[in-house]
C-alpha cells in the first residue's frame, strides 16, 4: 500500500529526532564516569518521612514496617502518616501500628481528602527534620537506603536525591514489562543527572533538603503530578537533583492494562501540563542542557509515540483488515488461494530503508537494555526472556496507545480525574 | 548560567545525519539494482516472446497443430512471469524516488508486452482452438477507483481458480504515455474504473465473483467443475 509523501516525511522526522536523542545520550554516557559525590556523615541529620495515604489499607503496614527497619538512629527519625480522608481501614491500621511500635516517633495526621500535594504540605508543616522524605504508601524501602542517600547532599545546591526505584515482585507480564521499563528509566535518569536534567522526583522515597522545599513554597496542591511540578520548579531555580543507583526502593506496579492506562494517563498529562507551565525554560540558554534537551523531550515524546503507533497501526494492519474484508467477496474460499499459493520471493523486494531503521532502533534498544541491567546490578532475563521480547517489541505500542488516548482526551477537552 | 553541552549537540547531529545519508545511499543503491534487475528480466522476457511467436509461426505454416499443447504451456508460463514482474515493477515504482523515469519506461514496456501477449493469445485461440477466456482489466488509483482493490482481489481469485484457462491482462488507465492505453480505452468506450472487458464485452463498475464466473463460463466450450459448483 502506498504511503503518502507527507506521512513519509513525518515518519522520517520522527525517526531522526529519536535517533538524535539516542545518540546524544550515548555521547553523554561515554563521556567519563559519573557518580554523585558523597561526603561522610559526621552526625545523623534529623529526617522526617512523610507517608501520604488515601485508602491504602492493603499496603500501608508493609510500607511502615520497612521504615522502622531502616538502619538509622531512631531518635533522629520521625514518620508522619498523613491520612488524606481515607474511607477504608487505613486510619485504624495506622493507629494500631503506632500503639504497637511506640518506641518510634510516628505521628498520624487525619484530614479531609484534598489530594497528595496538600497531604505532603501538611506533613511538611509539622516536620522537624533537616531532610524531608516523601514515601508513597505502596512502596517498600531497603534498610540501608537513608544511609546511602544522605551523604549525597555534598553541595548546597543539591535539593533532591533519588533512590534506585524497582518494581516490587513482578507477577504478570504487565508488571514484568514495567520492571524492565523502570531499570531503563533509572539508567536514563542517571544520565540525565549527569547534565542536571532530571525532571521528576517520583513519590517513592525522594529525599529533599527541607530548607529548599520551604524556600520554594512546598508542593503545588492543585496538580495532577505534584512530584513533577516541584522538580520543574526546583530546576527553574537552578537547584541540582541527583540520581543514585545503589539505594533501592521497591514500588508496586499496575497489574493490568486498565490500571497502567490510568496511572500513565495521569503521569503523561501531568508532564505536559507542567511543561507548559514552565515553557519559558525551553531553549533558554539560562537553563543550559535542561532547557535544550529535557524540556523539548517532555513536549515531543508524546507526539513521537502517537505518530509511530498510529502510522504503524494504520499502515501495518490496513492490508490485513482489507484482505479479511475482501474475503466476503469470495465467500471465504481460502482453500483456492492457499492451494495455488506460489512462493515468489526476490531479495530486491525487501524494503531496505525500513529494515535499516528497524535494525538501528533495535540495536539501540538492546544496548540500552543491557547497560541498564548492568548499571542496576540485575541479571538479564531475570524475569524470563518472554518479558524481554514483549518489552522490546510490544511495550512501546502500549505506551503509544496511552499517548493516543491522551491526545484524544485533550482534543475533546476531557479533564483528568484522580 | 548553567552549562550547555554544545559539542555533544553538534556531534550527535553529525552522526544522525551520517546515518540518515547512509540509509539514503543504501536506498538509492537498491533502487539502481532494482532497475537493473527489471531491465534484465525484461530482456529475457522479450526473447521469450520472440521465441513463442516463432513457435506459433512454425505451427501455423507447417500445420503442426499437434504441438499446440506444449507451446500453450510455454505461453501460460510466460504470461505468469510477465504478471509477477509487472506487480514487482509496480511495487518498486511506488517506493522509488530518483529512478521514476527509468521505471516509467519499463512500465511502458510491460504494458506493450501485455498487449502483445493478449493479441498473440487471440491468434492462438483460433490456431490451436484453445478453450481460453481473456479478460482485460483497466484500473486506476485509489482516488479515482476506490473499488479497484476489490476488483483486483476477485480477479486474482478467479485466476487462481481457472488457472491457464483464464488470461487476465491488467492496464493502468493513468499510464497514457503509452498510446495503446487511450486507444484501448476508446475502443471499449471506457471512462470509469474499474472496467473489465471479458472477450470484448466491457463491463464498468465493480463486478462480483459470481457475475464474472457466469460470464466467463458461458464462453467455455468445455464446462469445468468450477463452472457448475459455486
Amino acid at each position: 500500500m502506498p504511503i503518502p509523501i507527507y506521512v513519509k516525511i513525518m515518519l522520517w522526522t520522527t525517526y531522526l529526532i529519536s535517533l538524535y536523542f539516542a545518540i546524544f545520550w550515548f555521547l553523554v554516557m561515554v563521556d567519563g564516569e559519573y557518580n554523585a559525590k558523597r561526603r561522610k556523615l559526621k552526625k545523623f541529620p534529623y529526617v522526617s518521612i512523610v507517608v501520604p495515604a488515601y485508602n491504602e489499607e492493603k499496603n500501608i503496614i508493609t510500607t511502615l514496617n520497612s521504615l522502622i527497619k531502616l538502619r538509622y538512629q531512631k531518635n533522629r527519625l520521625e514518620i508522619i502518616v498523613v491520612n488524606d480522608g481515607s474511607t477504608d481501614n487505613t486510619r485504624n491500621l495506622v493507629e494500631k501500628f503506632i500503639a504497637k511500635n511506640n518506641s518510634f516517633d510516628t505521628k498520624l495526621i487525619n484530614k479531609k481528602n484534598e489530594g497528595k500535594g496538600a497531604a505532603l504540605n501538611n506533613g511538611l508543616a509539622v516536620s522537624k527534620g533537616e531532610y524531608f522524605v516523601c514515601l508513597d504508601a505502596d512502596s517498600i524501602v531497603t534498610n540501608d537506603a537513608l544511609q546511602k542517600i544522605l551523604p549525597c547532599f555534598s553541595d548546597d545546591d543539591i535539593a533532591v536525591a533519588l533512590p534506585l526505584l524497582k518494581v516490587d515482585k513482578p507477577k504478570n507480564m504487565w508488571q514484568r514489562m514495567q520492571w524492565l521499563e523502570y531499570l531503563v528509566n533509572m539508567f536514563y535518569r542517571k544520565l540525565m543527572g549527569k547534565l542536571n536534567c532530571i525532571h521528576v522526583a517520583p513519590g517513592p522515597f525522594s529525599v529533599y533538603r527541607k530548607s529548599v522545599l520551604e524556600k520554594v513554597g512546598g508542593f503545588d496542591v492543585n496538580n495532577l503530578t505534584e512530584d513533577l511540578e516541584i522538580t520543574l520548579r526546583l530546576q527553574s531555580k537552578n537547584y541540582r537533583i541527583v540520581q543514585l543507583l545503589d539505594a533501592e526502593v521497591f514500588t508496586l506496579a499496575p497489574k493490568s492494562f486498565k490500571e497502567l492506562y490510568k496511572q500513565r494517563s495521569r503521569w503523561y498529562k501531568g508532564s505536559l501540563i507542567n511543561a507548559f507551565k514552565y515553557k519559558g525554560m525551553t531553549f533558554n540558554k539560562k537553563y543550559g542542557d535542561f532547557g535544550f534537551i529535557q524540556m523539548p523531550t517532555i513536549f515531543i515524546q508524546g507526539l513521537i509515540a502517537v505518530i509511530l503507533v498510529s502510522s504503524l497501526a494504520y499502515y501495518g494492519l490496513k492490508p490485513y483488515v482489507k484482505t479479511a474484508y475482501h474475503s466476503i467477496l469470495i465467500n471465504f474460499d481460502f482453500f483456492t488461494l492457499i492451494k495455488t499459493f506460489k512462493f515468489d520471493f526476490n531479495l530486491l523486494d525487501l524494503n531496505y530503508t525500513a529494515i535499516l531503521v528497524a535494525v538501528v532502533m533495535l540495536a539501540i534498544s538492546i544496548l540500552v537494555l543491557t547497560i541498564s541491567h548492568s548499571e542496576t546490578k540485575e541479571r538479564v532475563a531475570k524475569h524470563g526472556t518472554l518479558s524481554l521480547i514483549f518489552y522490546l517489541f510490544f511495550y512501546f505500542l502500549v505506551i503509544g496507545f496511552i499517548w493516543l488516548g491522551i491526545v484524544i482526551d485533550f482534543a475533546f477537552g476531557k479533564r483528568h480525574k484522580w | 548560567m548553567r552549562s550547555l553541552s554544545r559539542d555533544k549537540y553538534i556531534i550527535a547531529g553529525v552522526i544522525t545525519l551520517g546515518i540518515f545519508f547512509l540509509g539514503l545511499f543504501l536506498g538509492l543503491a537498491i533502487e539502481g539494482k532494482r532497475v537493473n534487475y527489471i531491465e534484465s528480466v525484461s530482456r529475457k522476457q522479450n526473447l521469450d516472446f520472440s521465441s513463442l511467436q516463432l513457435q506459433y509461426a512454425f505451427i501455423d505454416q507447417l500445420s503442426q497443430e499437434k504441438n499446440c499443447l506444449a507451446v500453450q504451456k510455454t505461453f501460460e508460463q510466460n504470461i505468469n512471469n510477465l504478471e509477477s514482474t509487472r506487480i514487482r515493477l509496480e511495487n518498486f515504482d511506488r517506493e522509488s524516488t530518483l529512478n521514476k523515469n527509468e521505471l516509467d519506461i519499463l512500465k511502458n514496456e510491460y504494458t506493450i508486452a501485455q498487449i502483445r501477449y493478449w493479441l498473440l493469445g487471440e491468434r492462438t485461440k483460433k490456431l490451436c482452438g484453445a478453450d481460453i477466456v481473456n479478460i482485460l482489466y483497466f484500473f486506476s488509483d485509489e482516488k479515482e477507483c476506490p473499488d479497484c482493490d476489490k476488483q483486483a482481489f476477485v480477479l486474482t481469485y478467479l485466476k487462481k481458480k481457472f488457472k491457464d484457462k483464464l488470461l487476465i491482462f491488467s492496464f493502468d488507465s493513468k499510464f497514457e504515455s503509452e498510446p495503446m492505453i487511450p486507444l484501448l480505452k476508446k475502443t471499449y468506450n471506457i471512462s470509469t474504473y474499474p472496467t473489465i472487458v471479458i472477450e470484448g464485452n466491457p463491463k464498468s463498475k465493480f463486478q462480483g465473483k459470481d457475475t464474472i464466473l457466469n460470464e466467463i463460463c458461458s464462453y467455455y466450450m468445455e464446462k469445468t467443475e468450477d463452472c457448475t459448483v459455486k
Side-chain angles (χ1 to χ4, degrees), chain A residues 303-323:
Chain A
L303 199 65
I304 288 182
V306 168
I307 290 175
L308 271 184
V309 166
S310 43
S311 45
L312 213 85
Y314 187 74
Y315 292 104
L317 295 179
K318 202 178 168 187
Y320 297 101
V321 174
K322 244 184 180 170
T323 308

Side-chain angles (χ1 to χ4, degrees), chain B residues 65-81:
Chain B
E65 279 81 8
K66 60 177 188 295
N67 287 320
C68 265
L69 210 62
V71 180
Q72 246 164 303
K73 272 226 156 10
T74 318
F75 181 86
E76 169 69 14
Q77 214 168 28
N78 286 3
I79 279 193
N80 287 344
N81 288 343

Side-chain angles (χ1 to χ4, degrees), chain A residues 368-380:
Chain A
V368 169
L369 206 53
T370 317
I371 300 172
S372 301
H373 274 85
S374 85
E375 287 275 340
T376 52
K377 295 182 185 59
E378 286 290 357
R379 191 165 48 83
V380 177

Side-chain angles (χ1 to χ4, degrees), chain A residues 33 77 91 110 145 163 206 212 306 317 328 364-365 367:
Chain A
E33 198 41 44
L77 191 70
R91 181 178 176 165
N110 291 301
S206 292
V212 174
V306 168
L317 295 179
I328 306 167
I364 292 173
S365 308
L367 181 75

Side-chain angles (χ1 to χ4, degrees), chain A residues 1-2 8 12 15-16 19-20 23-24 27-28 31 195-196 235-236 238-239 285-290 292-293 318 322-323 325-327 329-331 333 336-337 339-342 344-346 348-353 356 360, chain B residues 1-17 19-20 22-24 26-27 30 33-34 37 80-81 84-85 88 92 94-97 142 149-151 153-154 156-157 160-161 163 206 208-210 230:
Chain A
M1 202 173 80
K8 275 189 186 171
W12 270 105
Y15 166 63
L16 288 177
L19 190 64
Y20 180 82
I23 293 170
F24 176 83
L27 293 173
V28 174
D31 187 19
L195 301 182
N196 192 21
Q235 284 285 6
S236 74
N238 296 322
Y239 282 105
K285 265 189 186 165
K286 214 175 113 192
Y287 300 100
D289 291 318
F290 191 82
F292 272 79
I293 196 98
K318 202 178 168 187
K322 244 184 180 170
T323 308
Y325 169 66
H326 286 169
S327 310
L329 302 171
I330 58 161
N331 304 344
D333 180 13
T336 305
L337 294 182
K339 193 175 65 179
T340 50
F341 178 77
K342 248 194 352 213
D344 178 24
F345 173 75
N346 188 308
L348 287 172
D349 290 343
L350 297 174
N351 185 342
Y352 285 92
T353 329
L356 182 80
V360 169
Chain B
M1 191 76 104
R2 285 160 69 163
S3 68
L4 193 64
S5 318
R6 202 168 271 122
D7 298 354
K8 291 192 186 78
Y9 292 114
I10 296 167
I11 300 171
V14 171
I15 299 176
T16 308
L17 283 179
I19 295 178
F20 173 70
L22 186 77
L24 203 67
L26 181 77
I30 296 292
K33 283 232 175 289
R34 283 174 171 177
Y37 167 78
N80 287 344
N81 288 343
S84 74
T85 320
R88 190 160 274 145
F92 290 176
R94 247 198 307 265
E95 284 174 20
S96 78
T97 44
E142 215 180 342
D149 268 357
K150 272 159 74 183
Q151 192 65 73
F153 190 80
V154 169
T156 311
Y157 169 78
K160 288 190 169 182
K161 219 169 172 61
K163 296 185 203 93
F206 169 74
K209 177 197 84 167
D210 293 332
K230 279 179 196 168

Side-chain angles (χ1 to χ4, degrees), chain A residues 48 50 120-121 123-125 127 129-134 158-160 201 206-220 226-227 229-231 233-234 237 239:
Chain A
S48 305
V50 174
L120 285 169
N121 281 344
L124 183 66
S127 66
E130 191 182 327
Y131 291 96
F132 176 93
V133 185
C134 68
I158 296 178
V160 194
S206 292
V207 181
Y208 295 82
R209 201 189 285 275
K210 201 179 97 178
S211 56
V212 174
L213 209 48
E214 285 172 333
K215 208 168 149 188
V216 300
F219 294 90
D220 185 358
E226 76 300 321
D227 46 0
E229 196 280 336
I230 186 74
T231 322
R233 191 151 23 116
L234 291 168
K237 306 217 181 290
Y239 282 105

